[in-house]
Amino acid sequence: MMATNPRDEKLVFAVSPAGQGDGVPILLVGVPNGAWEYYMKDGKTHHFDLTKAGVPVKLLLFGAESHAAAMKVIDDAMKASGTAYLDERRTDFAIKHKG
């Protein structure tokens, strides 16, 4: 059921510190439709400092109209900060299920 106020539809997340039993934490993120429509669709961000939960990660999520538009945001931000980043677009980062 959609909340009456789309601002109430915020991103949800959970951290599984033990992950799949390998000691690597897994971050689960849920993006409700209201969060996408109100916050992220137009490039607004959701950001989390998970160091507060003991996970050494700060996460920033943003919306973009296309893959190219998202890459432009990242490219522009990295150039402006003078920071290099790894281009891993061809790497498969899917979580491998044990079994």
Side-chain angles (χ1 to χ4, degrees):
M1 181 171 106
M2 180 74 158
T4 56
N5 184 346
R7 295 174 198 209
D8 293 335
E9 290 290 304
K10 296 181 180 175
L11 236 81
V12 295
F13 71 93
V15 176
S16 173
Q20 296 175 304
D22 55 6
V24 178
I26 292 180
L27 171 66
L28 295 90
V29 178
V31 183
N33 190 50
W36 173 257
E37 288 296 323
Y38 182 77
Y39 291 107
M40 297 179 73
K41 179 171 76 172
D42 297 325
K44 296 175 187 154
T45 66
H46 283 283
H47 46 277
F48 303 98
D49 180 354
L50 298 179
T51 61
K52 295 174 183 176
V55 179
V57 170
K58 293 181 181 180
L59 178 68
L60 186 128
L61 302 168
F62 66 94
E65 189 172 303
S66 65
H67 181 270
M71 285 306 305
K72 180 171 178 8
V73 169
I74 291 173
D75 286 338
D76 291 351
M78 295 296 102
K79 286 176 188 170
S81 72
T83 305
Y85 68 96
L86 296 174
D87 185 344
E88 294 288 339
R89 286 179 265 185
R90 308 260 186 273
T91 302
D92 179 1
F93 287 100
I95 295 174
K96 308 298 187 251
H97 296 283
K98 292 184 174 188

